[in-house]
Amino acid sequence: MKLVVVSAGLSVPSSTRLLGDRLAAATVGRVSGSVDLRVVELRDLAVEIAHNFTNGFPGRALSAAIDDVISADGLIVVTPVFSASYSGLFKSFFDVLDKDALAGKPVVIAATGGTGRHSLVLDHALRPLFAYLRAVVVPTGVYAASEDWGAEGLAERVGRAAGELAALMSRPAPAAGSESLSSAPGGAEVEPVVPAQAVAPGRADGFHVVPFEEQLAALRP
């Protein structure tokens, strides 16, 4: 099983990387079996990310990072808060990914900042971004302000998010076609049946569309 941490921290040492490491350690401890843990430091990929935007081709290090993210069974993404949102470097990395790269992938979102007043960044910036990318974002996001390090509450949030990610990583993948087909006796698969009352007379697709002009006319006295 493969777990990848994407850290957009810029300083060394970095509180953003530290939060990613804590989430990774807590997740590894909750996953049964061995875990291949990888860390992607976006600070080291900044130049290659910029070049990818101008020439359309990822460099060797960026290509390896993209491959790690795509092949991961679970992701932990951590960004510092800049101007009340995720950093430009963080967003740029996910902009160079294919639009379907994260579809169905379990993700923990996390952020660090200088004040607790930026904690809503998880829900107004990070969660919508990964919902758009069709990732499966765990319910618990983790925000760590400067005063949270060593204080009560952070370890509990880290543990809860890690448990949610570990559960999704361990969940078996659904069988192909299970969402659109149902099983019939003998193991055969059949197309779902459309109720007879849902089928409009004379229409094979079951829908009756009333032209907008007719709808307006019906409103006139």
Side-chain angles (χ1 to χ4, degrees):
M1 197 167 293
K2 187 173 184 178
L3 176 64
V4 175
V5 178
V6 178
S7 170
L10 299 180
S11 60
V12 180
S14 165
S15 61
T16 301
R17 171 64 188 272
L18 178 59
L19 181 57
D21 288 344
R22 289 195 179 184
L23 283 163
T27 303
V28 169
R30 287 166 171 79
V31 173
S32 58
S34 61
V35 177
D36 178 12
L37 176 61
R38 308 285 181 90
V39 178
V40 176
E41 283 278 12
L42 298 186
R43 177 186 65 247
D44 301 330
L45 302 174
V47 173
E48 290 193 18
I49 291 173
H51 286 170
N52 195 162
F53 280 113
T54 58
N55 61 27
F57 296 97
R60 183 175 300 176
L62 178 58
S63 181
I66 292 173
D67 288 343
D68 278 339
V69 168
I70 292 175
S71 62
D73 296 294
L75 283 179
I76 297 169
V77 298
V78 196
T79 178
V81 175
F82 288 166
S83 301
S85 187
Y86 39 65
S87 71
L89 179 60
F90 181 86
K91 178 62 161 55
S92 295
F93 175 73
F94 290 100
D95 282 344
V96 303
L97 295 180
D98 182 82
K99 62 182 180 64
D100 298 321
L102 301 185
K105 196 176 298 296
V107 177
V108 167
I109 54 173
T112 58
T115 171
R117 291 192 294 271
H118 286 311
S119 61
L120 288 177
V121 70
L122 295 173
D123 291 318
H124 76 67
L126 285 166
R127 200 173 294 276
L129 170 62
F130 288 93
Y132 172 78
L133 294 173
R134 294 184 290 131
V136 181
V137 183
V138 305
T140 302
V142 182
Y143 178 82
S146 298
E147 62 268 22
D148 289 328
W149 298 102
E152 293 183 1
L154 179 59
E156 287 76 10
R157 297 197 303 275
V158 167
R160 187 164 60 247
E164 293 165 355
L165 179 61
L168 288 175
M169 290 174 64
S170 302
R171 185 180 62 184
S178 61
E179 296 179 354
S180 59
L181 298 176
S182 58
S183 297
E189 291 184 331
V190 296
E191 295 290 341
V193 178
V194 179
Q197 63 270 23
V199 179
R203 292 295 299 269
D205 57 9
F207 293 97
H208 176 62
V209 179
V210 179
F212 185 59
E213 293 80 3
E214 290 185 20
Q215 296 184 50
L216 287 179
L219 297 175
R220 297 192 183 102

